[in-house]
Amino acid sequence: MAVVADLHVLRVFCGTGGRGGNRLGVVSRGATVVGERQRSAVAAKLGFSETVFVDDPDRGVVDIYTPSVRLPFAGHPLVRHLGTGVDVLRPPAGDVSTWQEGDFTWIAGRADWAAGRELRQQASAAEVDRLPAPPPGTGFLYAWAWQDESEGAIRARAFPRRGDAVIEDEATGAAALLLAHTLGRAIDIRQGVESQILARPRPDGWIEVGGRVALDEVWTL
């Protein structure tokens, strides 16, 4: 892999105390990685659930890849700090507002941007935990159960089932967005091993998703 840019390795949707979170690769000078084929190769080599290429940091233009497909929208690549003070991110799906509340970074997206994910309710959190990885079947599965329905507390696990090396996602913002839209209420999701995702619908139809972000390390590609 040629030297093209710095890669910031983040953990997004960390739990309390900074634990957990889904690892994310952020290619700081994305414009130096030209074309979908080259970007796909970089994302596959890195092997993170998603890698985001920052094409224009001043305008917030970004491009998102899994190890096997390009995504028009995804939650955990957008719930992060660009370090440039922008308040709008621009993935292919459309403009995404972003802001900070305490130690949580937030974005707002549309439920139709998260289409193609199956939300499957389980009878209990223990049943979610007992699922094999991945469960039989094809297509993105988001298995969830109430931990405390009155408090909006949810236990969840996510299985992309794309045929690549990512068997289970530690934290998934787009699926959380879709679940909050479907339930029509604010939810507090504990996903994977130690990750936390907050999601809440707005009256205008947009869904807000928030979480903590931690920087693990900086690499050179």
Side-chain angles (χ1 to χ4, degrees):
M1 193 181 299
V3 175
V4 293
D6 286 337
L7 176 85
H8 291 76
V9 182
L10 310 179
R11 285 179 295 110
V12 183
F13 298 125
C14 297
T16 55
R19 298 183 298 274
N22 200 2
R23 296 190 92 200
L24 170 71
V26 181
V27 180
S28 58
R29 291 187 291 125
T32 65
V33 186
V34 180
E36 188 170 341
R37 187 171 184 175
Q38 188 175 358
R39 292 182 175 196
S40 293
V42 169
K45 179 74 172 180
L46 293 172
F48 298 127
S49 294
E50 278 104 22
T51 297
V52 60
F53 297 85
V54 182
D55 289 332
D56 186 336
D58 295 325
R59 296 184 57 247
V61 178
V62 296
D63 198 14
I64 305 165
Y65 288 76
T66 76
S68 57
V69 298
R70 183 182 186 225
L71 299 176
F73 172 82
H76 105 276
L78 300 178
V79 176
R80 60 179 185 80
H81 298 282
L82 275 175
T84 58
V86 299
D87 55 11
V88 177
L89 301 175
R90 294 181 169 89
D95 288 1
V96 174
S97 59
T98 180
W99 66 97
Q100 198 75 16
E101 292 180 15
D103 61 349
F104 276 66
T105 303
W106 289 83
I107 62 167
R110 307 289 301 183
D112 57 315
W113 294 349
R117 293 165 174 82
E118 178 190 354
L119 307 177
R120 184 184 299 171
Q121 185 176 3
Q122 307 294 311
S124 66
E127 192 170 301
V128 172
D129 290 335
R130 285 196 297 267
L131 290 172
T138 59
F140 196 110
L141 173 65
Y142 197 64
W144 69 278
W146 291 112
Q147 284 188 314
D148 186 332
E149 187 170 357
S150 65
E151 296 293 327
I154 283 174
R155 171 71 176 132
R157 293 172 68 193
F159 306 97
R161 298 193 299 192
R162 291 184 297 253
D164 58 30
V166 181
I167 305 303
E168 180 172 354
D169 259 338
E170 172 64 21
T172 51
L177 181 155
L178 186 59
L179 183 57
H181 169 76
T182 300
L183 296 174
R185 61 175 293 183
I187 51 178
D188 182 345
I189 300 169
R190 305 306 167 103
Q191 186 176 321
V193 179
E194 292 189 273
S195 300
Q196 181 181 18
I197 309 167
L198 302 183
R200 58 198 186 198
R202 295 195 323 212
D204 61 4
W206 290 77
I207 311 297
E208 299 178 347
V209 179
R212 303 179 189 87
V213 182
L215 174 64
D216 268 357
E217 49 192 332
V218 179
W219 303 349
T220 299
L221 290 176

